[in-house]
Amino acid sequence: MEQRISIVTLGVEDLARARAFYESLGWRIANEELAGSIVTFTLNGVGLALYPRAKLLEDIGLPDLDGRATGAVTLAYNVRNREEVAAVLAGAERAGGTIVKPAQDVFWGGHSGYFRDPDGHLWEVAWNPGSPLDGAGNFAW
């Protein structure tokens, strides 16, 4: 198996609400033809999909277990400078997200905070001075 992640799929309760949230962040739909059943975004070499949670669990073959069936995961959005952390968090809050942890300096030398999207998915927004993004916005350790 090669070392990569191709697509991250988030199970969502309300596909239209989830789509509106991510579009409010400025993200553009990758395939409008599929948007009635799955909403897709092309990121830096990775796809993000929003898919109805019940259908995702059905596809996997797992019971719901009160939202714990798919495990605990956080997604990270790295930015180019320290100040951008607070700006991205504020944008997520304006779009309907909830700030879980405000922007602050962290033990590993960077600056980060967390927001929760309307379906409860946790996103870390981080500036890491030891891993600057390249010109295309790609991250590398």
Side-chain angles (χ1 to χ4, degrees), residues 74-96:
T74 61
L75 303 165
Y77 180 83
N78 280 45
V79 296
R80 297 181 190 283
N81 60 60
R82 184 182 192 282
E83 295 73 28
E84 199 176 350
V85 173
V88 171
L89 289 171
E93 187 171 40
R94 282 191 304 275

Side-chain angles (χ1 to χ4, degrees), residues 1-140:
M1 179 175 176
E2 295 178 34
Q3 187 169 301
R4 88 172 134 260
I5 293 176
S6 302
I7 301 169
V8 173
T9 301
L10 301 179
V12 300
E13 293 299 324
D14 181 328
L15 190 60
R17 179 187 69 189
R19 174 185 176 157
F21 175 78
Y22 286 95
E23 285 184 315
S24 292
L25 297 178
W27 293 23
R28 292 180 308 280
I29 302 294
N31 188 335
E32 195 63 52
E33 291 177 21
L34 297 174
S37 59
I38 186 169
V39 175
T40 56
F41 301 93
T42 300
L43 311 178
N44 296 52
V46 177
L48 179 73
L50 307 175
Y51 192 56
R53 190 169 185 282
K55 290 185 178 282
L56 179 61
L57 291 171
E58 179 183 321
D59 184 50
I60 297 168
L62 287 175
D64 190 337
L65 303 178
D66 299 324
R68 295 176 286 123
T70 57
V73 173
T74 61
L75 303 165
Y77 180 83
N78 280 45
V79 296
R80 297 181 190 283
N81 60 60
R82 184 182 192 282
E83 295 73 28
E84 199 176 350
V85 173
V88 171
L89 289 171
E93 187 171 40
R94 282 191 304 275
T98 304
I99 303 302
V100 175
K101 179 182 175 186
Q104 58 193 261
D105 292 336
V106 291
F107 72 93
W108 45 265
H111 192 74
S112 74
Y114 285 84
F115 72 87
R116 186 183 307 274
D117 78 5
D119 284 285
H121 301 291
L122 289 167
W123 285 82
E124 178 186 24
V125 180
W127 169 69
N128 183 338
S131 295
L133 301 177
D134 70 13
N138 295 307
F139 174 86

